[in-house]
Amino acid sequence: SHYEEIILEIDANLKILEQTSNEEGGAVYDYTLQLTQLTDEISKLQPQYDQATQDLNTKFGLDEWCGECKGGWGTCDGRVEYLRSTYGNSVVLSKVEIMGEGLCKKEG
């Protein structure tokens, strides 16, 4: 009967709700716990990442990167994103190549 179908659907939905609950053992709880752990890991590694980025920028002259000037392709940052997403080029390599052509350097 239609009534029994509704009861079965309600029961099935209640089971799904229990599985995705915010209580321990529920999917939301599990994902929240995992996200918290990953966020903690990122926080611990952030200073090392920032230092490595600064060292890399200095070594390759990327601290002179403008990013907002326009070439024949739009902004230089846009070109870097295009090269990364289309060809899988690294951000650093793309910037170094563009700057090697004398483009996208800060003025002054």
Side-chain angles (χ1 to χ4, degrees):
S1 80
H2 186 64
Y3 174 79
E4 290 171 349
E5 289 176 15
I6 292 173
I7 296 298
L8 289 174
E9 185 175 348
I10 290 172
D11 285 343
N13 288 334
L14 285 174
K15 287 179 184 176
I16 290 171
L17 185 59
E18 287 172 8
Q19 292 171 347
T20 60
S21 75
N22 202 20
E23 296 176 14
E24 189 169 350
V28 172
Y29 176 87
D30 292 344
Y31 284 117
T32 302
L33 182 62
Q34 183 179 13
L35 181 61
T36 300
Q37 291 169 343
L38 291 173
T39 301
D40 289 345
E41 287 180 43
I42 289 170
S43 296
K44 290 174 186 171
L45 294 173
Q46 191 66 48
Q48 292 171 308
Y49 173 82
D50 292 343
Q51 185 61 52
T53 300
Q54 183 179 356
D55 293 347
L56 183 78
N57 286 344
T58 300
K59 181 175 182 173
F60 291 104
L62 298 178
D63 44 355
E64 295 298 318
W65 176 258
C66 172
E68 297 175 8
C69 60
K70 294 186 183 261
W73 53 73
T75 67
C76 292
D77 281 342
R79 179 66 176 169
V80 168
E81 177 56 27
Y82 170 79
L83 293 170
R84 188 198 61 73
S85 64
T86 304
Y87 301 108
N89 292 17
S90 75
V91 171
V92 172
L93 177 62
S94 298
K95 287 181 177 182
V96 168
E97 288 178 352
I98 291 170
M99 290 178 74
E101 297 171 8
L103 303 171
C104 210
K105 292 184 179 180
K106 291 180 185 174
E107 297 291 327

